[in-house]
């Protein structure tokens, strides 16, 4: 996963990473929000989900201490990272800044 993850975040296109856990109720809420964000942003950015229980080393590498944690990467650079549930408009605007 680590090699594939590096390829994904090194993209010219911004990538929103959703660090989540299957047992996390707020993560389920965030997931439905991200579906709408994807509709709003179209092909301008990618949205990828990473299960912290399946990839704990990846979560640790990026300092994920709680879920959901969202992070935006472009050209391999971490541009933004925050924990908690975020609304559609905030995330859409954030991604549009980097498209």
């Amino acid at each position: 996963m680590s090699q594939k993850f590096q390829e994904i975040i090194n993209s010219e296109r911004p990538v929103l990473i959703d660090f989540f856990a299957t047992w996390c109720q707020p993560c389920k809420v965030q997931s439905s929000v991200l579906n709408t964000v994807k509709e709003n942003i179209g092909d301008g950015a990618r949205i990828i989900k990473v299960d912290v229980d399946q990839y704990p080393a990846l979560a640790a590498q990026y300092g994920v201490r709680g879920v959901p944690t969202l992070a935006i990467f472009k050209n391999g650079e971490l541009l933004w990272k925050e924990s908690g549930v975020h609304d559609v408009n905030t995330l859409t605007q954030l991604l549009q800044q980097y498209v």
Side-chain angles (χ1 to χ4, degrees), residues 39-64:
E39 290 171 18
N40 292 349
I41 211 83
D43 290 334
R46 290 179 75 180
I47 297 176
I48 306 291
K49 296 173 70 66
V50 175
D51 187 332
V52 296
D53 292 328
Q54 287 186 349
Y55 301 101
L58 203 54
Q61 182 180 348
Y62 291 99
V64 176

Side-chain angles (χ1 to χ4, degrees), residues 64-79:
V64 176
R65 291 187 173 79
V67 286
T69 293
L70 302 176
I72 298 175
F73 291 87
K74 185 175 181 178
N75 297 320
E77 184 182 346
L78 176 62
L79 302 172

